[in-house]
Amino acid sequence: MGLQGTSTAEWFERAGKVLVGGVSSGFRYWGPDDTMVIDRGEGAYVWDMDGKRYIDYQLGFGPIVLGHAEPSVVDAVVAAAKSGTTFAMTTAGEVEAAEKVQASVGYVEAMRFTNTGTEATMHAVRLARAVTGRDLVLKFEGCYHGAHDYVLFSTPGGPTDGLGSRRSPMPLQASSGIPAAIGPLVRTAPFNDIEAVARILADEGRSVAAILVEPALGNCFGIYPAPGFLEGLRDLATEHGCVLVFDEVKTGFRFALGGAEEVFGVAPDIGTFAKSMGNGFPVAAIGGRREVLDAWSEGGIVQAGTYSGNGIAAAAVSATIDVLSTGEPHARIDKVGRLLMEGLAAVCADRGVPAHVIGHPAMFGLVFSDEPPADFRDTADHDAGLYETVIRAMVRRGVMPNDDGLEPWFVSAAHTEEDAATTLQAFQEALEEALG
């Protein structure tokens, strides 16, 4: 039996006639009978076209940090829209939003807005190449940095047996349509393997423009950096003159107001932000050390975007940061997230199921394996079939994480302890059902 109710199935049929596969992003497709069509969201919940309510742990793949349709953000956006949305000039709202980002994230000395996480990492890579005069980019297996050609290598979801040896990793192209000439410009290493990074830089450090990394793996169970890993990247980037780029599209404003630097104590040269900085409105930014970012003002390095810093985006950023700055949202997320992480682990332990709950309370993963993964290669041991079966049984019970285990659970400030209790009950029932 599929997850769709009668009305949801009818809407998905309509979607299939106008949207390729019935979706506008391939990551939203769960199959012909299980892909959902959502009517609305409020707080921690979404409703499908049949009026069924779900506790939402997808949160739009992470952006909803305060809760769906957070009134203060909606009110700010409505007010901004009444004053016009897009101009060919800087606006006061854009300046105010940038000031709030700068005041929140310690390493942001200068910045520019853009529209999506993909745009942000694309511009960051180009900027790093321009300021160093180098071409190579070093990224990590299991890190996803958006959908542009230079970063679609060794991404989560691909086969781990195609990555080559740990000592000599092979960039694994993740999509057709990427020119063959791009592959030789990418180097990859296992996440948390600082020795592998040191070897690559010892051989090619003078050609590496950027070390691009997610501080925690936002599309791979939320895997955490090992102690000393980010510090090691910082030291190696400095030693070899590379630009260290933290992709904080998922960790930024979700883990803490100050993002990865606040949590891990390491500052990059450039950070890219999106998702939680606007509580679901499309907005992104690139920020970092002024001596790097100011290269844009010297000319000759293209960074542009018609909608960058538009009125709606700027208003969403300002309003979201205003709420986050009180400290209350992150405190609630931490409390509920820890209840869920500890509860999921306890249910699995009680039933003798090998499992690990890893990551941050705001973004964590449940791994069905004997040992917790330290990198993407380790995820090959995860029982993906059991996970999908359990999650779809949870969705039938009104609780909605993503059914792909690599995609973490996301918690918002709108989730309650009661939601956590309901979720754990649904998980227990779903796991028992799956185990027979």
Side-chain angles (χ1 to χ4, degrees):
M1 185 176 84
L3 299 176
Q4 299 168 347
T6 301
S7 183
T8 299
E10 292 173 353
W11 273 94
F12 184 65
E13 183 179 3
R14 286 177 61 177
K17 295 177 181 178
V18 289
L19 301 171
V20 177
V23 295
S24 288
S25 168
F27 295 117
R28 301 175 187 172
Y29 184 75
W30 286 20
D33 302 316
D34 296 317
T35 301
M36 304 302 290
V37 180
I38 299 300
D39 181 36
R40 64 188 181 92
E42 181 180 339
Y45 315 115
V46 293
W47 285 260
D48 67 16
M49 301 307 297
D50 291 276
K52 182 175 179 179
R53 193 192 80 166
Y54 304 85
I55 303 174
D56 183 18
Y57 293 105
Q58 296 194 89
L59 299 180
F61 297 114
I64 309 300
V65 68
L66 299 176
H68 292 286
E70 164 62 28
S72 62
V73 179
V74 172
D75 290 345
V77 166
V78 170
K82 291 180 178 180
S83 297
T85 56
T86 301
F87 308 95
M89 301 176 189
T90 300
T91 66
E94 182 182 356
V95 174
E96 292 170 345
E99 289 173 340
K100 292 177 181 180
V101 173
Q102 187 183 62
S104 301
V105 184
Y107 64 81
V108 174
E109 299 172 351
M111 61 170 285
R112 280 186 179 175
F113 284 111
T114 185
N115 301 287
T116 69
T118 289
E119 284 186 48
T121 60
M122 178 189 71
H123 286 305
V125 167
R126 181 183 298 154
L127 182 60
R129 284 179 165 144
V131 299
T132 62
R134 303 170 178 179
D135 291 337
L136 300 185
V137 173
L138 171 59
K139 72 173 296 288
F140 294 88
E141 297 166 353
C143 283
Y144 177 74
H145 302 293
H148 58 98
D149 289 353
Y150 284 111
V151 294
L152 280 176
F153 291 85
S154 302
T155 58
T160 57
D161 59 3
L163 300 172
S165 72
R166 282 185 175 274
R167 186 165 186 83
S168 182
M170 298 189 304
L172 181 63
Q173 186 171 312
S175 174
S176 296
I178 298 175
I182 288 180
L185 298 176
V186 179
R187 300 292 181 270
T188 55
F191 190 71
N192 278 328
D193 190 339
I194 198 65
E195 292 181 358
V197 178
R199 285 195 300 270
I200 292 170
L201 294 179
D203 290 339
E204 301 185 280
R206 293 182 180 180
S207 300
V208 175
I211 300 173
L212 176 61
V213 65
E214 288 182 283
L217 301 194
N219 290 76
C220 193
F221 295 111
I223 293 174
Y224 247 35
F229 177 66
L230 296 180
E231 292 87 344
L233 294 183
R234 175 68 277 172
D235 290 342
L236 287 169
T238 301
E239 177 185 349
H240 293 276
C242 311
V243 176
L244 179 60
V245 182
F246 279 3
D247 178 354
E248 294 218 58
V249 167
K250 283 194 170 179
T251 60
F253 298 94
R254 169 163 286 283
F255 277 21
L257 187 63
E261 182 185 24
E262 182 176 334
V263 175
F264 302 118
V266 181
D269 300 304
I270 297 176
T272 60
F273 306 90
K275 295 190 184 283
S276 293
M277 74 184 302
N279 198 50
F281 284 90
V283 62
I286 312 100
R289 292 196 299 117
R290 182 169 292 279
E291 65 180 283
V292 178
L293 274 292
D294 272 355
W296 276 327
S297 65
E298 298 169 5
I301 307 170
V302 173
Q303 185 279 322
T306 299
Y307 302 106
S308 297
N310 69 79
I312 286 176
V317 170
S318 283
T320 300
I321 291 178
D322 283 347
V323 179
L324 291 176
S325 295
T326 67
E328 294 179 4
H330 285 117
R332 293 197 295 270
I333 289 170
D334 186 74
K335 184 175 185 178
V336 174
R338 290 184 186 280
L339 285 173
L340 288 165
M341 293 177 76
E342 293 167 4
L344 292 168
V347 170
C348 293
D350 287 347
R351 280 144 192 83
V353 176
H356 303 275
V357 185
I358 61 174
H360 190 280
M363 184 182 85
F364 61 83
L366 169 62
V367 192
F368 288 129
S369 63
D370 290 327
E371 298 294 333
D375 59 35
F376 177 52
R377 292 170 184 249
D378 292 344
T379 66
D381 297 328
H382 166 65
D383 190 338
L386 174 60
Y387 187 88
E388 180 178 325
T389 298
V390 169
I391 296 304
R392 296 205 178 195
M394 291 183 71
V395 175
R396 289 195 295 273
R397 290 168 168 81
V399 179
M400 190 184 286
N402 195 285
D403 72 342
D404 179 356
L406 292 173
E407 184 71 20
W409 294 41
F410 297 98
V411 180
S412 77
H415 284 95
T416 66
E417 294 177 57
E418 290 76 18
D419 292 329
T422 300
T423 298
L424 294 173
Q425 180 63 38
F427 175 71
Q428 176 179 318
E429 294 173 0
L431 182 61
E432 290 174 347
E433 177 184 307
L435 296 174

